[in-house]
Amino acid sequence: MNFDLTDEQRMLQDTLRKALATASDPWAALAELGVIGALFDEETGGFGGTGFDIALVFEELGRADVFLSMIDRALVPGLLLTAAGHDIADVIAGTEKLAWAHGELGARYDLDWVETRAVGDAISGQKTVVVGAEDADSILVTARHAGAANDQAGIGLWRVASDAAGLSLHGYDIAQGGRAAELTLENTPGEPLSPEAFDALSLAVAAATLAQMAETLGAMETVAAMTQDYLKTRKQFGRPIGSFQVLAHRLADMMLEVEQARSAVNLAAGHLHDAPVQRDLHISAAKNLIGRAGRMIAEEAIQMHGGIGMTEEYALGRFAKRIIMADHRFGDTDHHLERFIALRA
Amino acid sequence: MDLTFAEEDEAFRAELRDFLAEALPRELAEKVRLSQPLKKADYDGWHAKLNARGWLAPNWPKRFGGAEWGAVRRYIFEEECAMANAPRIVPFGLSMLGPVLQKFGSEAQQAHWLPRVLSGEDWWAQGYSEPGAGSDLAALRTRAVRDGDHYIVNGQKTWTTLGQYANMMFCLVRTDPDAKKQEGISFLLIDMTAPGVEVRPITLIDGSVEVNEVWLTDVRVPVENLVGEENKGWTYAKYLLTHERTNIAGVGFSRAGLDAVKRIAQRVQMRGRPLIENSHFAARVAQVEIDLMAMATTNLRIVSKAAAGQAPGLESSLLKIKGTQIRQEITDLARRAVGPHAMPFASEAIEGTNMTLPDPFDAGNVTGAYFNNRKLSIFGGSNEIQREIFAKHMMRDAT
Ligand SMILES: Cc1cc2nc3c(=O)[nH]c(=O)nc-3n(C[C@H](O)[C@H](O)[C@H](O)COP(=O)(O)OP(=O)(O)OC[C@H]3O[C@@H](n4cnc5c(N)ncnc54)[C@H](O)[C@@H]3O)c2cc1C
């Protein structure tokens, strides 16, 4: 058993931390440093790709006060394209602008719920909350060519160009930073990538969930550290508010939850490439825990900051929004609790 | 023991419902239901309707133009208005300044200012908090120095709710810097349009623009705008706080919020069924509903004691804590219910982004409301301070 980072991982962490703290265009900086390659294994042109590599990168992204949709632009599309036998050199270089469109109104958080239809290679339906869709040159779209709405079989994957006929986007800001869009497809032509994409999708979303959790862990660490600092420096009634025991104890509880979250991420990372049941069991366990811990930490941090914690100008609020909104991606605490129960049974 | 409302109270409720059905504009109620930002005209319009009916100032004595209702009737009023998605009555002039002037103001002040509160001619802001004086309000440093028949005021107030709409602000200022913290404070009425007053908006995490910084630089305030005696302001401030805490439990808001959650969870689909049928989600909703049922009764118990002439004192701390916990839990449920569609985000601060958000479940700005309502446990005496008040009282004999 060994919980230490390797020398290479430590170097990557340092590089990332520095770049995120200083770069004016973080995406370009990370792409140039080759960081995206850490998300993929050597066979596909990367230099990492284990759960631990993914967790390391995203934890650093979470610590920093920037929002990059690396999950949606690189990680998920890269894994989906790889599974379909495509080269992802441009994804790893950070030059290809991609998005992936899977979620639908009726699906909520269920991965197998697809009502968008494909007839031949013409796709019709609606996809919701597609992160980064407006920036993408092409979008990887799931659609059903066979089966009922919640069958795992019959879900295929297509690549749709952003200027394809019948594709329309309705874009908007999202609370964690960045933008997303609602997509409508009407007989939109797509390039077929894979007729049966569910297994690849499950793995890609498991990796994305891990990434989201690690990012949330990073944000939780930052928020806890900010709160610790604030309790030491903010004075009311002539003393630092951290000298009020009730606040100091709550900070201790926050720190405890951060450690729990770290262990949950470690566990999930270590099981990412297990067989699907073991993999998903650990992903669900961790996502449930992080959803609960995240809410507690975000809310307590705001509360203990008082009014200042509610302002847009102060970074705490942005971190709190990212933490809370993470529960709305890839399944919330309840979704993963139910899935955990089902997988354990 | 009798848990039912008296017949005349039920009759009042019916009358009130008729009034709300007729007087409350649909679009306004929709804005409130969907947690969209309200503008000055929205509040002014609603205040005017209530004022025309004689119901704008439920707590004021009749001789000042109030309804002079007892606590139970006020409770019914607050509950029905909230359930109908009426805008809240902006409290600063009506529930805060009004009672202070009625108790401590001069006759001239009462005659001048009170009618203007009712008519909406003045919009009041509350100038208490400062950057260094939040929970420790008595640490405030804004200075007022007497200069002939004026005070010269210098300092900074902050978190001033809806200060951007206000033309007047009641303000706590330090008039005797040498006295003990609480003893050198005075209660001044400041014209926000006077030279030297600068209002800067603060954007909150939900993108809303409802609080402000107010900078005061050599602002001249006529001495007749001093309320009561110089250096006695803390007494008036404390009196005001007890009024600030009426309706602190927010039962009506919680009922309306819970209704909204249930409606949303009917619309949201999960594996082809309404979310409300999911046992997990249903359990979350039921849990809050159970808490709310008990809290509503706690509230009524305390309120009817007050109706019998006993002032709600310590219990108001209890109501504040439980009431805000429940309200916050309900905003959490609404956000949870909409799933991935909690992510679309509109900012009042960035103009023009409001209009086009997808809202497939007709839920409105649930994420904004969730973040915005974090304030409930921070302002009006934070929940920690409420616990402190309560705990100190219980431990007062401990040695
Ligand atoms: C949206 C909003 C609107 C507001 N509107 C107004 C307004 O219109 N007018 C106005 O004057 N003010 C207004 N306020 C200010 C509000 O009253 C203060 O935010 C509040 O008093 C808390 O002060 P603070 O923000 O400085 O936090 P602090 O007092 O610095 O508190 C920070 C944390 O420490 C805790 N704490 C402090 N002292 C103790 C203690 N002794 N024991 C245990 N815990 C403690 C607090 O509970 C809090 O969790 C508003 C605030 C908000 C957020």
Side-chain angles (χ1 to χ4, degrees):
Chain A
M1 195 145 285
N2 176 7
F3 290 100
D4 297 332
L5 299 179
T6 64
D7 287 344
E8 292 81 42
Q9 285 170 331
R10 200 179 305 282
M11 266 172 58
L12 177 63
Q13 192 179 48
D14 284 348
T15 311
L16 262 165
R17 202 169 289 185
K18 283 199 196 94
L20 287 167
T22 54
S24 57
D25 179 350
W27 179 274
L30 296 196
E32 196 164 312
L33 288 166
V35 169
I36 300 170
L39 310 180
F40 301 101
D41 60 24
E42 281 169 23
E43 261 171 66
T44 54
F47 59 89
T50 69
F52 296 115
D53 297 313
I54 293 172
L56 183 137
V57 169
F58 280 92
E59 186 183 337
E60 288 309 315
L61 292 178
R63 280 169 174 275
D65 188 11
V66 292
F67 180 81
L68 291 179
S69 45
M70 196 176 283
I71 291 177
D72 301 279
R73 182 172 161 179
L75 180 62
V76 174
L79 291 174
L80 289 177
L81 285 171
T82 306
H86 284 247
D87 176 74
I88 58 165
D90 291 344
V91 174
I92 290 176
T95 49
E96 183 158 14
K97 291 183 174 166
L98 289 165
W100 63 294
H102 176 65
E104 298 184 7
L105 207 52
R108 194 168 168 82
Y109 299 119
D110 288 323
L111 219 49
D112 52 11
W113 192 279
V114 176
E115 292 178 85
T116 296
R117 304 294 307 193
V119 178
D121 293 323
I123 304 164
S124 299
Q126 290 190 328
K127 296 287 182 182
T128 59
V129 203
V130 180
V131 175
E134 294 164 308
D135 287 340
D137 297 326
S138 63
I139 303 174
L140 310 183
V141 180
T142 55
R144 180 172 294 288
H145 55 81
N150 60 341
D151 285 344
Q152 296 183 356
I155 301 172
L157 184 71
W158 284 262
R159 187 205 294 260
V160 170
S162 61
D163 57 0
L167 173 67
S168 57
L169 267 63
H170 169 196
Y172 44 81
D173 291 340
I174 52 177
Q176 56 269 63
R179 284 175 69 78
E182 307 292 286
L183 261 59
T184 306
L185 305 104
E186 281 173 25
N187 274 318
T188 302
E191 171 202 343
L193 295 176
S194 153
E196 291 297 338
F198 186 78
D199 289 345
L201 189 72
S202 301
L203 176 59
V205 170
T209 312
L210 171 64
Q212 182 72 70
M213 295 192 290
E215 190 183 324
T216 307
L217 170 64
M220 281 160 54
E221 285 169 38
T222 299
V223 157
M226 287 178 83
T227 306
Q228 183 183 7
D229 279 352
Y230 197 74
L231 292 193
K232 285 194 223 164
T233 49
R234 170 67 170 173
K235 287 197 171 131
Q236 288 286 275
F237 304 100
R239 44 200 268 211
I241 57 174
S243 69
F244 300 120
Q245 197 175 40
V246 65
L247 299 190
H249 281 192
R250 280 157 68 183
L251 178 67
D253 284 342
M254 277 172 74
M255 295 297 188
L256 208 148
E257 291 302 320
V258 172
E259 292 310 317
Q260 282 286 86
R262 171 173 301 290
S263 296
V265 168
N266 283 343
L267 260 174
H271 290 277
L272 181 65
H273 290 106
D274 285 7
V277 169
Q278 276 306 306
R279 175 194 72 199
D280 290 345
L281 182 95
H282 285 94
I283 293 282
S284 279
K287 191 69 164 58
N288 170 268
L289 186 143
I290 292 213
R292 289 183 285 129
R295 180 184 172 201
M296 182 268 213
I297 286 172
E299 292 183 354
E300 286 285 71
I302 292 174
Q303 181 66 24
M304 291 199 270
H305 274 78
I308 202 84
M310 297 248 350
T311 61
E312 182 64 43
E313 198 184 336
Y314 189 61
L316 181 79
R318 291 191 290 278
F319 284 102
K321 278 194 275 191
R322 284 165 63 189
I323 292 171
I324 294 293
M325 285 299 118
D327 201 38
H328 293 267
R329 295 215 72 191
F330 314 118
D332 65 6
T333 44
D334 288 355
H335 172 88
H336 283 288
L337 187 64
E338 289 184 354
R339 196 171 78 153
F340 181 85
I341 293 168
L343 290 170
R344 256 293 182 244
Chain B
M1 192 139 316
D2 178 6
L3 295 179
T4 52
F5 285 96
E7 217 169 280
E8 62 269 24
D9 289 330
E10 288 300 350
F12 168 69
R13 191 189 290 274
E15 186 188 354
L16 183 55
R17 283 190 182 162
D18 290 345
F19 167 78
L20 285 165
E22 195 207 299
L24 178 63
R26 254 206 132 75
E27 322 80 77
L28 187 54
E30 276 297 280
K31 270 191 176 180
V32 173
R33 181 177 73 82
L34 298 172
S35 307
Q36 288 167 358
L38 299 186
K39 301 293 176 198
K40 183 169 188 294
D42 294 321
Y43 290 112
D44 282 342
W46 181 235
H47 288 172
K49 290 227 161 109
L50 288 171
N51 193 36
R53 191 72 173 73
W55 288 353
L56 180 58
N59 54 328
W60 290 16
K62 288 213 168 91
R63 68 189 172 98
F64 293 119
E68 204 173 330
W69 286 332
V72 171
R73 194 152 286 202
R74 257 151 59 192
Y75 169 82
I76 294 173
F77 180 73
E78 280 149 6
E79 178 171 36
E80 290 297 325
C81 287
M83 293 291 285
N85 292 309
R88 66 175 185 137
I89 297 179
V90 180
F92 308 111
L94 287 154
S95 326
M96 299 186 188
L97 177 70
V100 168
L101 284 184
Q102 287 156 19
K103 191 160 169 85
F104 303 107
S106 67
E107 264 179 42
Q109 286 171 335
Q110 292 170 351
H112 180 70
W113 297 113
L114 293 176
R116 295 161 62 101
V117 171
L118 291 178
S119 69
E121 194 167 343
D122 293 328
W123 183 301
W124 287 89
Q126 180 186 23
Y128 274 29
S129 304
E130 298 181 6
S135 298
D136 184 12
L137 183 58
L140 62 92
R141 285 163 50 183
T142 296
R143 277 284 274 136
V145 179
R146 183 76 181 257
D147 175 30
D149 48 10
H150 282 83
Y151 287 99
I152 313 290
V153 181
N154 279 287
Q156 189 202 340
K157 294 294 173 182
T158 191
W159 310 122
T160 320
T161 298
L162 300 181
Q164 70 267 39
Y165 300 153
N167 64 313
M168 290 298 297
M169 174 168 73
F170 56 88
C171 208
L172 293 181
V173 295
R174 190 160 297 285
T175 35
D176 183 353
D178 301 322
K180 256 181 60 188
K181 250 165 99 177
Q182 283 86 352
E183 284 164 14
I185 293 171
S186 299
F187 196 103
L188 273 190
L189 311 179
I190 296 182
D191 181 349
M192 305 232 350
T193 65
V197 181
E198 198 196 330
V199 177
R200 296 182 200 159
I202 300 173
T203 305
L204 295 184
I205 40 179
D206 62 325
S208 68
V209 197
E210 62 180 44
V211 293
N212 301 270
E213 294 177 316
V214 179
W215 299 75
L216 303 159
T217 314
D218 292 329
V219 181
R220 295 181 70 81
V221 180
V223 287
E224 58 263 30
N225 283 11
L226 173 74
V227 175
E229 290 173 52
E230 203 178 77
N231 298 329
K232 287 282 182 322
W234 190 249
T235 311
Y236 315 146
K238 277 204 307 201
Y239 177 77
L240 182 154
L241 281 178
T242 63
H243 281 264
E244 184 180 351
R245 288 187 195 134
T246 60
N247 190 25
I248 203 79
V251 174
F253 294 123
S254 286
R255 289 238 163 104
L258 200 59
D259 272 10
V261 166
K262 289 179 183 172
R263 259 199 319 272
I264 296 165
Q266 273 297 339
R267 287 207 170 88
V268 174
Q269 294 287 302
M270 183 168 170
R271 292 193 266 284
R273 304 292 312 159
L275 175 65
I276 195 74
E277 293 178 13
N278 172 259
S279 59
H280 234 93
F281 193 80
R284 283 186 185 273
V285 174
Q287 205 69 86
V288 182
E289 187 162 359
I290 289 165
D291 287 346
L292 176 57
M293 284 162 64
M295 197 269 286
T297 299
T298 310
N299 189 45
L300 276 171
R301 279 200 287 134
I302 293 170
V303 155
S304 42
K305 245 202 248 171
Q310 291 165 266
L314 281 172
E315 295 97 333
S316 69
S317 290
L318 229 154
L319 286 177
K320 159 102 209 271
I321 296 167
K322 202 72 215 172
T324 55
Q325 283 174 341
I326 290 174
R327 280 176 73 184
Q328 290 180 334
E329 196 60 33
I330 290 169
T331 63
D332 180 73
L333 284 178
R335 163 179 74 72
R336 231 173 249 286
V338 298
H341 272 94
M343 288 163 58
F345 184 73
S347 170
E348 186 191 2
I350 307 165
E351 230 156 316
T353 58
N354 281 350
M355 299 301 115
T356 54
L357 289 191
D359 184 11
F361 312 118
D362 192 32
N365 184 17
V366 287
T367 297
Y370 163 79
F371 283 111
N372 186 274
N373 280 311
R374 305 313 314 161
K375 72 188 175 191
L376 297 178
S377 48
I378 294 173
F379 66 17
S382 74
N383 283 11
E384 288 75 28
I385 295 299
Q386 304 295 345
R387 287 192 184 90
E388 192 64 20
I389 293 170
F390 205 69
K392 276 224 171 89
H393 178 77
M394 290 188 297
M395 292 295 123
R396 67 195 178 284
D397 303 328
T399 47

